[in-house]
Amino acid sequence: TRVLPVRNPGDIKLLGSLEEAVEKSGLKSGMTIGFHHHLRNGDRLLCRLMDVIAKRGIKNLCLASTSLFKTHAPLIEHIRSGVITRIESGIHDAIGNAIFTGDVELQAPMIVRSHGGRARAIEAGDLPVDVAFLSAPSADAMGNLNGVLGPSACGALGYPMTDALYAHTVVAITDHLVPYPNRPISIAQHQVDFVCTVDSLGDPKGIVSGTTRITTNPLGHLIARNTMKLMIASGLVVDGFSFQTGAGGTSLAVAHYLREHMKENKIVGSFGSGGITAYFVQMLKEGLFRRLMDVQCFDLDAVASLRDNPDHIEMSGSMYGNPHNRGAVVNNLDMVVLGATEVDLDFNVNVAVDSDGVLRHAVGGHQDTAAGAKLTIIVAPLIRGRLNTILEKCTVVTTPGETIDAIVTERGMAINPRRPELIDKAKAAGLPVMPIHDLMAIGQKLTGKPTPVEFEDKILGVMEYRDGTVIDVARKPILHKR
């Protein structure tokens, strides 16, 4: 049972250091820490915080961040020393590589969830957070927080909103303390126990990573143009439609071509959603969408738009994608365009594990949007790094094929047999539709049939579906020396 502390008149929340923040939070060995990744690769706080925690002799912690990035590689030493022994988080790059190659070892398999799945797990009590440390770009001394002001402004604070509601103790950490009351308020003072000031949270330029820039590859643009044609053929690109793209370069190119089509045909959409980019901001300014629903800003244009434009609306991770609430925003999506590492013959998708069997990527909102949208399109090159994207069976399944409608590559597209009406519409539009087996065969002629990755019995990661069921597990790969 969560016990809510009472702050009486005259009580002071403001703290002067991370050391004091850890002490006042009541953090003890064996507890679970919540953190968020809105600063992405620009975050400099989490590693500093874990250094302070380690110096206090606190160990055996579960780190339940919304995601972990390359910038968090120093946390590997805290895993090695036993400060962090469990992780329930999305993973990028170095930490996943260290765990799956055996450089460090956790006491229990990692649990990987979608953004909506994490919110559901916290609200359902599957992931109880003892202390949530919230990186707050702007705060007042009572704990009214937002992410749109200050030197570390990152935009929407959609993911820590759930932590603020459900964590036993909430500590806001800011590098921009403003006079009371702060405005706008994304997370309010009645949800915050303490406010700590530091010199810097990080570099907001790190929000923009390699996965949030439009592709310059001509083949990527070919995929994007055919994707747009499929969307038009579906009959969903009409006044009032809603849309989301993933953060990949080809997905963002789809938004570019969609914008051109909407302008030419005077189509106005109801809303664009998800992690918002400059492309959506531009479309909002041009009146092509009436609203933006934002859980996470993917670039600085989106940060400025959320700050300045009342039609750019902030939402929580739960409102965005939680399948067990009164209605998530993803359920109102007409179309979503997503990326993939692998797709198999049953249209199952893997976005987390690389071809060598190592988990290096987060699931994000992939599962949530695929389940909610009327039309879910995967965009991916058929050949990536001399490997075929379409396999008989995915290395690990992160998004089930029943929620995927089509895959578009530079050499053709395959549509899920569950959607015969979409197949007919695509063929009528002259699009290069073929069975997914044929698309895989084209790739295999160029790459050869891949040798399956060999795995040990040891489970290193549990892939949860958004409703809390286990969709797959990631085992320790047998890595052969080159």
Side-chain angles (χ1 to χ4, degrees):
T1 302
R2 184 188 184 210
V3 178
L4 294 177
V6 174
R7 294 288 177 262
N8 295 312
D11 287 353
I12 296 174
K13 292 184 178 182
L14 191 60
L15 310 175
S17 68
L18 289 179
E19 288 79 7
E20 188 179 5
V22 173
E23 178 184 357
K24 293 284 189 180
S25 74
L27 184 67
K28 295 180 175 59
S29 295
M31 286 186 170
T32 296
I33 294 176
F35 194 77
H36 72 88
H37 74 283
H38 283 287
L39 276 163
R40 295 168 66 83
N41 260 322
D43 175 59
R44 301 292 180 266
L45 177 60
L46 180 55
C47 291
R48 289 176 60 190
L49 178 65
M50 291 308 304
D51 288 344
V52 171
I53 290 170
K55 287 178 181 178
R56 293 182 64 84
I58 298 172
K59 291 182 173 290
N60 191 29
L61 295 176
C62 174
L63 178 57
S65 180
T66 53
S67 196
L68 297 169
F69 281 77
K70 185 177 181 179
T71 188
H72 300 122
L75 297 181
I76 293 170
E77 293 305 315
H78 293 304
I79 299 172
R80 185 173 285 116
S81 66
V83 175
I84 300 170
T85 56
R86 293 166 294 142
I87 293 178
E88 300 192 20
S89 173
I91 295 287
H92 291 267
D93 301 311
I95 296 177
N97 189 72
I99 293 169
F100 275 71
T101 58
D103 184 36
V104 294
E105 187 171 352
L106 295 169
Q107 287 185 3
M110 292 169 39
I111 298 179
V112 180
R113 298 183 177 95
S114 71
H115 289 320
R118 180 182 186 272
R120 179 211 56 78
I122 291 175
E123 293 181 19
D126 295 344
L127 176 57
V129 177
D130 294 297
V131 182
F133 292 98
L134 309 187
S135 182
S138 178
D140 61 35
M142 286 299 294
N144 295 301
L145 319 177
N146 70 61
V148 297
L149 301 174
S152 302
C154 62
L157 294 180
Y159 298 133
M161 288 180 179
T162 307
D163 299 64
L165 277 171
Y166 288 89
H168 289 196
T169 303
V170 178
V171 181
I173 303 172
T174 188
D175 58 2
H176 185 64
L177 190 69
V178 301
Y180 181 88
N182 191 16
R183 65 176 293 270
I185 297 174
S186 298
I187 294 172
Q189 64 185 59
H190 66 286
Q191 299 169 340
V192 176
D193 294 285
F194 301 104
V195 179
C196 172
T197 57
V198 293
D199 56 344
S200 176
L201 298 178
D203 181 4
K205 293 179 182 177
I207 295 172
V208 183
S209 68
T211 62
T212 54
R213 298 189 182 99
I214 193 168
T215 183
T216 58
N217 187 332
L219 294 180
H221 281 272
L222 173 61
I223 294 170
R225 286 193 296 271
N226 279 336
T227 299
M228 184 192 69
K229 292 175 183 177
L230 178 61
M231 291 160 53
I232 294 169
S234 75
L236 291 171
V237 184
V238 295
D239 276 339
F241 82 99
S242 55
F243 178 62
Q244 180 172 331
T245 66
T250 303
S251 298
L252 296 179
V254 175
H256 167 75
Y257 290 113
L258 178 64
R259 169 179 169 264
E260 293 183 345
H261 176 80
M262 293 172 70
K263 290 180 73 172
E264 290 172 5
N265 293 275
K266 296 180 172 55
I267 295 171
V268 177
S270 57
F271 72 93
S273 75
I276 297 299
T277 65
Y279 308 104
F280 267 129
V281 168
Q282 184 179 28
M283 294 166 84
L284 179 67
K285 288 180 178 178
E286 293 172 339
L288 299 177
F289 281 105
R290 294 196 296 270
R291 305 284 189 276
L292 297 182
M293 304 287 286
D294 194 347
V295 70
Q296 173 182 205
C297 292
F298 274 139
D299 56 40
L300 300 184
D301 286 347
V303 175
S305 174
L306 182 63
R307 181 191 65 220
D308 299 333
N309 193 331
D311 289 325
H312 190 155
I313 302 165
E314 189 174 21
M315 62 179 169
S316 72
S318 184
M319 180 178 174
Y320 171 53
N322 180 354
H324 291 172
N325 61 22
R326 293 176 178 87
V329 168
V330 296
N331 297 345
N332 294 90
L333 277 174
D334 287 309
M335 295 175 289
V336 65
V337 176
L338 302 167
T341 302
E342 298 171 343
V343 181
D344 70 22
L345 296 179
D346 293 319
F347 287 82
N348 296 312
V349 175
N350 163 32
V351 294
V353 176
D354 281 348
S355 59
D356 59 359
V358 176
L359 191 152
R360 296 191 180 94
H361 310 282
V363 172
H366 204 281
Q367 296 176 350
D368 306 311
T369 52
K374 294 176 183 175
L375 177 62
T376 300
I377 303 175
I378 300 296
V379 292
L382 184 60
I383 309 299
R384 181 189 283 118
R386 297 179 294 178
L387 295 172
N388 196 358
T389 299
I390 301 179
L391 307 174
E392 291 184 10
K393 185 178 180 180
C394 285
T395 305
V396 170
V397 175
T398 56
T399 304
E402 66 193 54
T403 65
I404 305 300
D405 298 305
I407 173 172
V408 181
T409 76
E410 77 281 9
R411 295 177 181 272
M413 64 178 67
I415 296 176
N416 197 322
R418 292 171 176 264
R419 298 294 308 273
E421 81 291 350
L422 184 61
I423 294 174
D424 292 341
K425 290 177 179 179
K427 287 182 176 179
L431 294 172
V433 182
M434 64 184 72
I436 195 168
H437 292 76
D438 294 351
L439 199 53
M440 181 182 73
I442 292 172
Q444 287 186 352
K445 284 181 181 179
L446 298 170
T447 65
K449 191 171 183 178
T451 301
V453 179
E454 296 178 295
F455 293 95
E456 299 179 9
D457 291 335
K458 185 173 185 179
I459 296 173
L460 296 181
V462 174
M463 316 303 297
E464 271 196 10
Y465 192 51
R466 58 198 297 259
D467 63 1
T469 58
V470 175
I471 190 171
D472 209 343
V473 296
R475 300 181 186 273
K476 188 178 189 308
I478 298 173
L479 300 173
H480 301 284
K481 294 182 179 179
R482 297 181 179 179

